[in-house]
Amino acid sequence: MAGNCSRPVKAVIFDLDGTLLDTESLVRSVSATVLERHGAKLTPDAEKAALGRRPLEAWQAVIEVLDVKGSTAQQLFDESEPLLQARWPDAHLLPGAERLLHHLHAKGVPVALATSSSRASLQRKLFTENKRHILEQFQAVTCGDEVAEGKPAPDAFRNIASQLQLDPADCLAFEDAPSGVDSATAAGMRVVVVPSLTNRLAYPKPEIDAKSGCCEVLSSLLDFQPSQYGLPGFEDLICGVTPMHPPWRLVGTVVKGFGRGSKELGIPTANLDNSALQAVLAETVTGIYCGWASIGSSSETYKMVMSIGWNPFYKNTEKTAEPWLLHDFPEDFYGEQLRLAVCGYIRPEANFTSLEALIARIHEDARISRSALQDPLLVQAQRLCMTAG
């Protein structure tokens, strides 16, 4: 069993960037652009050093890792900030964020935010029509410019515990960045890690019964089980499927994949071009999902089940989206536009001991999808994939 109830949780504290909100992909893109102007290239080590820190401290970490000459953290911040401010409204909530926040709020569990973002940046990130309600659910908020020391120092999380008048040991923190995990751990809190770095070795090894520090590492907030921490459990599963709030819409061109779907698995999947993924999903978003699909100019919809990720069994080096449309088609449709409405989450990616076990699990995922997609709540998502474009 993951997680622990040895000391039931009385409040849940979230980081923002990379945990609730997909700002990391925007930051990565802007940072790479700014660094190129200064003759440097963003590397995974530089990303790891900067992740979760306050902006000036993040840029200073990047300068030190990359040995950027002739530039200060303030200069790089001044160049990057206008580019980021223009893009903050485009940042999406990460999978499971809205569901978890709404659930905890509805059950009367205190929810708080400990972010490295400045108060002004926080307002710009969340004060959009579809995200403004998120900020209203927090009973306490601490921003990076409101504490003496930023993450990995414990100031932000200690400040939140003080505002809530709780012992830090009674709080459960959610973090995506190694520096944030260190911060919450130093404050004396248990930490659920939802990594925004693909390199899991950058994070502490989870200890299920930890009294503080990393107690669980999840692929997504959709995998979190509140009851394992003494919190009210979810009550929204449909045939074992987690409804997506809101559903995603993915649009892309069908491209040739690895050639193993029909040949090795007997399962004809339709690979989407990578640009479709990069435009909508954070790099670390993976899992098995269900929903609806439409092809080309047709408005006809088909049930589908889809894997997103690196497929641990085949050890892919490139992230893919491989939907299996649960319908027999007379011919291939390479080059056609494929529109997907992803409305349900089935499970995280997993490895298998044999090809037969993988095939059996895919067919079980299809069975679950067919059943869940008969529910009226998930049927509503069909409209998202009917219109071309």
Side-chain angles (χ1 to χ4, degrees):
M1 168 174 143
N4 67 80
C5 289
S6 57
R7 183 165 181 162
V9 169
K10 295 181 180 179
V12 179
I13 304 173
F14 292 93
D15 169 59
L16 178 66
D17 299 289
T19 301
L20 295 176
L21 198 62
D22 179 21
T23 53
E24 304 301 346
S25 56
L26 301 182
V27 171
R28 185 179 298 113
S29 173
V30 168
S31 298
T33 298
V34 170
L35 285 169
E36 283 178 12
R37 298 173 185 171
H38 294 261
K41 182 178 180 180
L42 186 64
T43 66
D45 285 344
E47 285 189 56
K48 177 185 174 183
L51 193 65
R53 297 177 185 268
R54 295 184 293 191
L56 280 175
E57 292 162 354
W59 274 120
Q60 186 59 45
V62 169
I63 288 172
E64 292 172 3
V65 170
L66 300 180
D67 194 25
V68 180
K69 303 294 186 184
S71 302
T72 67
Q74 187 66 54
Q75 287 174 318
L76 298 180
F77 171 81
D78 290 342
E79 287 185 41
S80 63
E81 196 64 9
L83 300 176
L84 288 170
Q85 296 302 334
R87 299 182 65 178
W88 287 144
D90 299 328
H92 303 282
L93 287 169
L94 283 160
E98 185 156 6
R99 173 188 183 236
L100 180 54
L101 286 170
H102 174 77
H103 172 75
L104 295 173
H105 184 71
K107 296 297 183 180
V109 178
V111 176
L113 184 69
T115 176
S116 292
S117 293
S118 68
R119 179 67 64 165
S121 288
L122 173 65
Q123 299 291 329
R124 284 188 282 267
K125 289 171 183 176
L126 292 184
F127 259 66
T128 61
E129 184 176 350
N130 62 338
K131 290 180 293 208
R132 187 177 293 111
H133 64 287
I134 296 297
L135 197 55
E136 297 169 355
Q137 297 186 23
F138 297 119
Q139 290 188 230
V141 175
T142 293
C143 293
D145 57 351
E146 297 169 346
V147 291
E149 292 188 61
K151 301 174 185 179
D155 299 32
F157 286 102
R158 284 179 177 168
N159 184 287
I160 285 291
S162 177
Q163 289 186 58
L164 296 175
Q165 298 183 334
L166 289 173
D167 187 323
D170 291 325
C171 301
L172 182 67
F174 280 79
E175 267 286 354
D176 73 296
S179 62
V181 177
D182 291 344
S183 175
T185 300
M189 298 181 184
R190 286 168 283 178
V191 189
V192 174
V193 181
V194 187
S196 59
L197 294 174
T198 55
N199 178 14
R200 296 296 178 89
L201 297 177
Y203 298 90
K205 183 178 179 180
E207 296 183 15
I208 294 173
D209 297 319
K211 294 182 179 180
S212 65
C214 178
C215 54
E216 190 172 13
V217 177
L218 303 176
S219 296
S220 164
L221 290 174
L222 292 166
D223 294 320
F224 180 63
Q225 298 298 324
S227 58
Q228 294 176 350
Y229 294 88
L231 296 166
F234 287 115
E235 302 166 344
D236 61 348
L237 295 186
I238 299 172
C239 302
V241 171
T242 301
M244 303 289 291
H245 299 298
W248 304 333
R249 186 174 193 260
L250 295 178
V251 180
T253 303
V254 179
V255 298
K256 288 186 179 293
F258 301 101
R260 61 192 177 216
S262 296
K263 294 178 183 177
E264 291 186 32
L265 304 175
I267 298 167
T269 56
N271 288 57
L272 277 181
D273 64 289
N274 278 341
S275 62
L277 282 180
Q278 294 168 358
V280 178
L281 299 181
E283 183 181 9
T284 51
V285 172
T286 61
I288 312 302
Y289 301 84
C290 66
W292 304 91
S294 289
I295 306 165
S297 59
S298 173
S299 61
E300 188 169 358
T301 59
Y302 307 95
K303 294 177 180 178
M304 68 89 185
V305 59
M306 173 174 62
S307 69
I308 297 177
W310 286 269
N311 196 325
F313 182 79
Y314 286 105
K315 297 179 173 61
N316 292 356
T317 57
E318 185 176 276
K319 183 179 177 180
T320 60
E322 302 181 45
W324 176 19
L325 277 59
L326 303 176
H327 179 83
D328 292 326
F329 293 92
E331 57 187 16
D332 295 329
F333 39 87
Y334 294 121
E336 291 278 7
Q337 183 189 75
L338 185 63
R339 299 178 301 282
L340 304 176
V342 185
C343 57
Y345 175 72
I346 300 173
R347 61 177 177 86
E349 276 198 303
N351 204 346
F352 295 88
T353 56
S354 68
L355 183 63
E356 292 73 22
L358 170 62
I359 293 171
R361 180 66 243 203
I362 294 173
H363 281 282
E364 175 64 8
D365 294 335
R367 183 196 66 78
I368 292 171
S369 298
R370 288 188 177 99
S371 179
L373 290 169
Q374 296 182 64
D375 188 274
L377 179 65
L378 301 189
V379 169
Q380 294 175 17
Q382 286 184 86
R383 57 184 174 78
L384 294 177
C385 63
M386 290 180 177
T387 306

